[in-house]
Amino acid sequence: MSQLSTIEAVVRARLRSLRTTLGLSLDELAARTNLSPSTISRIETGKRAISLDVLLPLATGLNVGLDALLDTSDDADVVIRPVPSRSTGRTMWALSKPGGSTQALKALIEPTAARPRQQVHPGHDWLFVLSGELLLLLGDREITVAAGEAAEFATMTPHAFAAIGGPTEILMIFDRDGQRAHVHSEDD
């Protein structure tokens, strides 16, 4: 098998795997990409060539970058190499592959003078404080979570968190709804 054929086989398998992992039917992915369900099926089964005009919308519809689809590194399916993402007062590292039903995230939260705004969203969050202290605002409650402690809560309760006294490093696990709220929002 040529190198190009190997890459195409990997891309086809990843596309189908991501679609099924996300629980998307061919019709649902077609609606997200403006491609026909039959086109997507033919790409997944190898009956249609893979080209950028279909690969770009598929990557966007599956919420992944082209690099995630095209990477043929031997260990890429196992080893995650987190890249820092910075927003106001926070640095975050994604610790899981995009598209799964749960996501893991490491965050370094810097203390700020402003009180964080509480948000609600569907889902459930779990966090573990690696270092420092975290102020967890949960509705009317103010809870201090110290290094070595964890917190778990339903996210339909208004919530936010802030570092106390110095930088705080945490691990978080949340579902897909939590990913949209925490990874894409700078105000929580």
Side-chain angles (χ1 to χ4, degrees):
M1 188 180 276
S2 73
Q3 183 178 7
L4 183 58
S5 297
T6 301
I7 292 170
E8 285 184 352
V10 168
V11 170
R12 292 177 199 287
R14 284 186 182 149
L15 287 169
R16 181 174 178 82
S17 178
L18 282 169
R19 180 178 61 77
T20 57
T21 299
L22 290 171
L24 297 173
S25 67
L26 289 170
D27 290 329
E28 290 167 328
L29 183 55
R32 289 182 172 198
T33 61
N34 292 322
L35 298 170
S36 72
S38 64
T39 297
I40 297 169
S41 176
R42 290 192 321 264
I43 290 168
E44 289 181 355
T45 59
K47 295 178 181 168
R48 186 184 193 283
I50 299 173
S51 58
L52 284 176
D53 65 322
V54 295
L55 199 55
L56 286 169
L58 286 169
T60 301
L62 293 167
N63 295 320
V64 297
L66 279 177
D67 57 338
L69 293 176
L70 297 172
D71 185 13
T72 58
S73 303
D74 291 338
D75 59 357
D77 62 331
V78 176
V79 177
I80 298 166
R81 294 180 174 84
V83 176
S85 167
R86 291 176 178 77
S87 63
T88 307
R90 294 185 184 191
T91 304
M92 297 181 282
W93 295 264
L95 302 177
S96 53
K97 296 188 181 297
S101 60
T102 57
Q103 296 293 303
L105 179 81
K106 176 182 165 186
L108 178 65
I109 304 165
E110 301 290 337
T112 60
R115 186 172 180 86
R117 184 175 55 89
Q118 293 190 47
Q119 296 183 342
V120 297
H121 57 84
H124 201 83
D125 281 5
W126 175 92
L127 63 87
F128 179 80
V129 179
L130 295 166
S131 65
E133 282 189 316
L134 186 75
L135 174 63
L136 173 61
L137 303 173
L138 201 55
D140 294 334
R141 300 167 65 189
E142 293 188 8
I143 303 164
T144 300
V145 186
E149 296 179 334
E152 181 177 10
F153 53 93
T155 56
M156 288 305 287
T157 301
H159 63 284
F161 46 83
I164 300 173
T168 301
E169 193 173 28
I170 64 172
L171 288 178
M172 296 181 69
I173 297 176
F174 38 81
D175 60 14
R176 201 174 320 166
D177 292 320
Q179 178 189 15
R180 282 192 287 274
H182 292 291
V183 176
H184 302 294
S185 174
E186 295 181 12
D187 299 324
D188 53 321

